[in-house]
Amino acid sequence: METNVRKLKTWNCVAYGLGDLYGGGAFILVSAFAMYYLVAVIGMNPVLAGLIPGLGKIWDAVSDPLMGYISDRTRSKFGKRRVWFLVGILPIFASMVLIWLPVGFTSDFSLFVYYFLAYIFFYTVSTMVLVPYGALSAEMAEQFQDRSKLTGFRMFFSMLAALLSGTIPEMIINRFADQRTGHLVMSIVFGILFMLPWIFVYFGTWDKHEEKTEQRPTNFVKNFASIFRNKSFR
């Protein structure tokens, strides 16, 4: 039950929208450049390289509802949803860099294992941050008009991130004779771009205040398995 209503200001909309610099840019960056990096730069077998994002998406489909369950039950002085923004700042940077980190492995299997784990880490971090982020707008604004404002700012920054992620990386990469170095520098630049906004998101947003109530214990396995009864999810 909410005990007070906070007025949504333009600053709050901007702060909230900044979060989708990561949501709107990271996946475009990975989908547009990572596969070329794995096959043409690192020299991985194309079949193994193609398995990595596919398996990562399967994990993403499982981890999303899992994170929703965790987020709903989070209790912290830093907020129910917003605490995950603070937790995710450094992992966001690390997950971007690890995908484009040149490693000394020579066998296809070793390369597959490393970059598969890097992908899984990337999807886990994005889920950890973006699932609570997506739920936050409904808690900040109860009125349709206010929710539309939050969504509008979010979409603006998402489109801006898509534009930057589709054009800037190649400019950075081409400045280096060694493409491995170019991709690594690019990942560092965008890792910083994606992680820093969450500081502003945290301080410019708020969680819905809830009175402490005694909750009945729930069967996590039963609740989690119930999502597979949804045809659209399957």
Side-chain angles (χ1 to χ4, degrees):
M1 176 177 166
E2 191 175 13
T3 58
N4 65 315
V5 178
R6 296 181 61 174
K7 184 178 179 181
L8 190 67
K9 300 179 180 179
T10 301
W11 150 244
N12 303 123
C13 295
V14 173
Y16 176 78
L18 281 169
D20 229 29
L21 284 174
Y22 175 54
F27 291 96
I28 289 180
L29 188 68
V30 171
S31 62
F33 294 94
M35 190 57 57
Y36 170 82
Y37 174 76
L38 292 178
V39 176
V41 180
I42 297 298
M44 184 186 299
N45 183 294
V47 175
L48 292 178
L51 285 175
I52 292 176
L55 294 174
K57 279 294 185 181
I58 294 175
W59 167 244
D60 192 41
V62 174
S63 62
D64 277 4
L66 175 61
M67 186 62 212
Y69 181 92
I70 295 172
S71 176
D72 287 341
R73 286 154 181 79
T74 298
R75 297 294 181 269
S76 166
K77 66 178 182 179
F78 297 105
K80 177 180 180 179
R81 313 288 186 189
R82 292 157 61 243
V83 64
W84 295 106
F85 306 160
L86 297 179
V87 172
I89 288 175
L90 291 180
I92 285 173
F93 176 79
S95 67
M96 293 304 302
V97 173
L98 289 175
I99 291 179
W100 282 279
L101 183 68
V103 292
F105 305 132
T106 56
S107 70
D108 280 332
F109 180 74
S110 298
L111 290 171
F112 172 80
V113 170
Y114 171 80
Y115 287 107
F116 171 70
L117 293 177
Y119 260 75
I120 292 298
F121 183 55
F122 167 76
Y123 280 115
T124 301
V125 172
S126 63
T127 295
M128 179 179 70
V129 175
L130 294 178
V131 169
Y133 175 69
L136 190 61
S137 62
E139 300 192 358
M140 291 179 62
E142 293 187 348
Q143 300 298 321
F144 174 78
Q145 183 178 0
D146 289 338
R147 291 186 183 181
S148 297
K149 286 174 63 177
L150 289 173
T151 301
F153 277 89
R154 178 179 178 177
M155 291 300 99
F156 169 78
F157 284 106
S158 178
M159 290 186 291
L160 176 61
L163 177 63
L164 295 175
S165 298
T167 57
I168 302 298
E170 191 171 2
M171 298 179 187
I172 297 175
I173 295 168
N174 290 340
R175 292 182 66 88
F176 296 87
D178 185 352
Q179 285 207 349
R180 294 188 178 213
T181 303
H183 280 83
L184 179 60
V185 172
M186 178 273 294
S187 70
I188 293 173
V189 171
F190 276 87
I192 294 173
L193 174 66
F194 292 148
M195 80 171 186
L196 289 182
W198 292 101
I199 299 173
F200 299 96
V201 179
Y202 176 82
F203 285 105
T205 60
W206 60 84
D207 291 90
K208 183 177 181 180
H209 178 76
E210 297 178 343
E211 292 184 346
K212 293 182 178 180
T213 56
E214 185 177 351
Q215 294 185 343
R216 293 183 178 182
T218 58
N219 187 320
F220 168 73
V221 175
K222 182 178 180 180
N223 287 347
F224 185 72
S226 67
I227 63 176
F228 293 97
R229 292 198 293 268
N230 185 295
K231 290 184 178 180
S232 298
F233 177 82
R234 294 198 301 270

